[in-house]
Amino acid sequence: MSNFIQLHFLTAYPPSNLNRDDLGRPKTAVFGGTQRLRVSSQSLKRAWRTSDAFSNALHDQKGTRTKGLGNELYAKLAEELGEKKADETAKELAKLYGELKSPKKDGEKAAAEAREHETLVFLSPGEQQALETLALKLAKEKRAPTKEELAAFPMSGHGAADIALFGRMLAATPGKNVEAAAQVAHALSVHRVTVEDDFFTAVDDLNKHDEDAGAGHMGSTEFAAALFYEYVCIDRELLLRNLDGNEALAAKTVRALIEACLTASPTGKKNSFASSARASFALAEKGNQQPRSLAVSFLKAVEGADQMVTAIAALKDTRAKMDRAYGACWASEAILDAVGGRGSLKELLDFVAAPSGFEGGKGGAEPTGRGA
Amino acid sequence: MQPFLCFRLYGPMAAWGDVAVGERRPALAQPSRSGVLGLIAAALGLQRSDADALQTLDDGLGFASRLERRGELLVDYHTAQVPSGPEVRSALKRRTRLDTRRDELNAKEDRDAIQSWRTYFLDALASACMWQTSGSKAPALDQLAARLRAPTFVPYLGRKACPVALPLDAKLVEAANPVDALTQVRFPADALLGGIGRARSEPDVFRWEGEWPGLKPDQTVTRRDRLLSRARWHFAERQEHVLQRQGGDHVPQPS
């Protein structure tokens, strides 16, 4: 059995450049045969993970992503063990999480670099704590770690809310990977989009026009405005497992993520465009049925002046049609409709955080059978 | 005649991975055997570490696919920001701690970026077909269909950021071979796709494995998507027969 929480939401952004490609152009995608504005899944997840909503709620339960574990352990060990021994031990412990760099140079700087990981390592708070405790113990007893002590690491990575939600991959020790409990789709605009060019000049204030009246700098920025359809699916059972069965923390994590989804924006070029936005419409669904995005609602690009109202209607219509064709795709729902003045963020968060509401099926024909 | 399990694979974005080394993450338009088996394994609740169960599934099921719309190619440029070495060193020097990723990224020091280029196919429309091989120990097809309707883990089209946007609608079809099964099967919710059936001048591409009487491929290609060892992330080469057929009537044309 799986308890899926699906969130569909519509957020309108003014002209902005939230997520750029390697040429600095806002990312796009062809959908339903027309060009749409896009914000990548990765960009959204980063915006949510680093948001205030997420931070404030989960400050003690967030993982750390770093290459610097070896140096942190070295600092803990150096005084007691002496530089050489501390260096060896710190490297030995850090290597449990992956390959370390091998700089060609000599010297202090290179020695520090040699304690760094080649790639980023995502550590849960519990893991970091346990590693430090072990490092201090080794320093106190002035010895190298035993085989048994080393075998205890890396831990499962469980316990960190963001590792539980977004997963972890350690190529060197796949057994310690954590499967992400949240699935996040790329955001696509519900309407067709043409990316526009903003040609700009910067005036040289001290140029008195004695020789020429030219600009001090010329450049161009590409931008577009869009109403995005966004989709997130949380596997509550997997989240709970990733959090070692801590129901309270799971509820807090779901709340924090969904609040971040609806209130936090990707920060790309935010000072040039003041592009922060909040979701205007959100539909949360719970159920055991196979999750599906409702992106097909916008295969036919939304046209006309009243985009938001048209988009909300299209979303509801497609959902009803899908339920009719396949039987109920969900069991219970909550809606936050800022346009129609229905629902509130608090009510929506209370709904998603509650452990109930996953059984049965509504909206269409008979409930879909759950497998063995 | 024998039963085949057929299901729909549609989402705005799909990425059936090809051989990927380093920062270039290529994908192919036609669903991969390993990707679709992974989807079924997810529905059954198998974990990546359940090597034996995954092997049983791989041994016991044959795979074919039909690509009705190839869609557009997208190469997504992707960066991941990392706090670089000097920053972490200076934090140590100051005896301060960088507790969270937010703290790391807010530290006023140099940052690096890890780059990658990820390929996707947009608006692609495909269906998959599976059957029991002789001596198969994999779960029965009707059981698989039931689990696809109420899966344990969330299904996706090759990459986790590619959710399915139509129910998989798994069903059993009696046919002589996988191409016939994929030609016969109907998915009612295709009507919701309306527009993307519009410019269908491209042929349907059927791909299958194994020999079937009366089924002659245009060509046979090699693809590295047969599970060898899930634990070591190893895949073996596999022969895939390819047949193009003009004008499927699968996707309703808008009137």
Side-chain angles (χ1 to χ4, degrees), chain A residues 203-263:
Chain A
V203 175
D204 185 334
D205 287 338
L206 297 182
N207 180 352
K208 302 288 185 239
H209 300 191
D210 295 336
E211 282 185 17
D212 69 77
H217 173 79
M218 294 190 301
S220 81
T221 304
E222 290 174 282
F223 69 93
L227 169 60
F228 287 106
Y229 167 71
E230 303 182 47
Y231 171 73
V232 176
C233 176
I234 303 171
D235 179 342
R236 196 176 183 282
E237 285 300 304
L238 182 57
L239 178 68
L240 201 56
R241 206 172 334 138
N242 286 351
L243 293 172
D244 289 331
N246 187 335
E247 283 273 358
L249 181 54
K252 215 161 116 178
T253 304
V254 170
R255 261 189 112 89
L257 173 66
I258 295 202
E259 184 175 347
C261 288
L262 301 179
T263 61

Side-chain angles (χ1 to χ4, degrees), chain A residues 166-187:
Chain A
F166 301 121
R168 168 169 91 172
M169 193 185 139
L170 294 168
T173 47
K176 306 296 180 182
N177 288 347
V178 177
E179 181 66 30
Q183 177 188 39
V184 179
H186 294 235

Side-chain angles (χ1 to χ4, degrees), chain B residues 6-77:
Chain B
C6 297
F7 50 97
R8 199 24 121 204
L9 296 171
Y10 171 76
M13 301 173 80
W16 304 104
D18 195 2
V19 177
V21 179
E23 64 269 23
R24 307 243 163 216
R25 317 304 294 178
L28 297 171
Q30 192 108 13
S32 62
R33 179 185 166 85
S34 50
V36 174
L37 267 171
L39 189 154
I40 289 189
L44 292 172
L46 301 181
Q47 308 220 11
R48 295 181 201 277
S49 53
D50 296 336
D52 293 344
L54 288 166
Q55 204 63 58
T56 306
L57 205 59
D58 185 73
D59 292 340
L61 294 174
F63 171 68
S65 62
R66 174 183 181 182
L67 187 63
E68 282 141 87
R69 203 187 138 96
R70 186 169 184 273
E72 308 278 337
L73 178 79
L74 172 83
V75 179
D76 188 37
Y77 173 70

Side-chain angles (χ1 to χ4, degrees), chain A residues 1-2 4 20-22 27-33 38 40-42 46 49-52 55 59 62-68 71-72 75 109 112-113 116 120 128 132 169 174 179-186 188 231 233 235 238 241 288-293 295-296 299 318 321-322 325-326 329 368-372, chain B residues 10-13 47-48 69 72 74-86 88-89 92 95 97-105 111-112 114 117-118 120 122-123 143 146-156 159-169 187-190 192-196 198 231 233:
Chain A
M1 184 193 71
S2 257
F4 295 114
R20 289 163 271 176
D21 66 12
D22 36 358
K27 288 185 175 180
T28 55
V30 173
F31 178 49
R38 177 170 64 92
S40 70
S41 165
Q42 305 85 357
R46 181 182 187 279
R49 202 147 44 86
T50 57
S51 69
D52 286 337
S55 246
H59 197 74
K62 290 213 299 178
T64 301
R65 189 178 283 231
T66 182
K67 289 183 180 180
N71 278 315
E72 192 159 316
K109 219 174 155 188
E113 201 181 328
E116 284 175 19
L120 283 177
Q128 216 173 356
E132 280 172 21
M169 193 185 139
E179 181 66 30
Q183 177 188 39
V184 179
H186 294 235
L188 293 173
Y231 171 73
C233 176
D235 179 342
L238 182 57
R241 206 172 334 138
N288 299 317
Q289 295 90 341
Q290 177 227 311
R292 83 289 175 241
S293 127
V296 290
L299 262 176
T318 301
K321 281 181 177 157
M322 226 184 252
Y326 293 98
C329 295
T368 318
R370 274 199 278 113
Chain B
Y10 171 76
M13 301 173 80
Q47 308 220 11
R48 295 181 201 277
R69 203 187 138 96
E72 308 278 337
L74 172 83
V75 179
D76 188 37
Y77 173 70
H78 176 182
T79 60
Q81 200 170 37
V82 303
S84 59
V88 175
R89 276 198 293 278
L92 286 171
R95 299 268 164 210
R97 278 188 43 150
L98 299 172
D99 280 328
T100 64
R101 177 135 166 85
R102 183 184 168 81
D103 296 342
E104 287 176 347
L105 296 174
R111 289 169 215 160
D112 293 334
I114 296 172
W117 287 262
R118 294 160 190 241
Y120 297 86
L122 309 170
D123 272 352
Q143 221 176 321
R147 296 310 303 272
L148 286 170
R149 281 194 285 278
T152 301
F153 297 120
V154 64
Y156 50 86
R159 253 181 221 131
K160 199 150 186 171
C162 304
V164 299
L166 279 185
L168 299 162
D169 200 13
F187 300 105
D190 281 357
L192 290 167
L193 294 176
I196 83 157
R198 208 166 12 198
W233 218 296

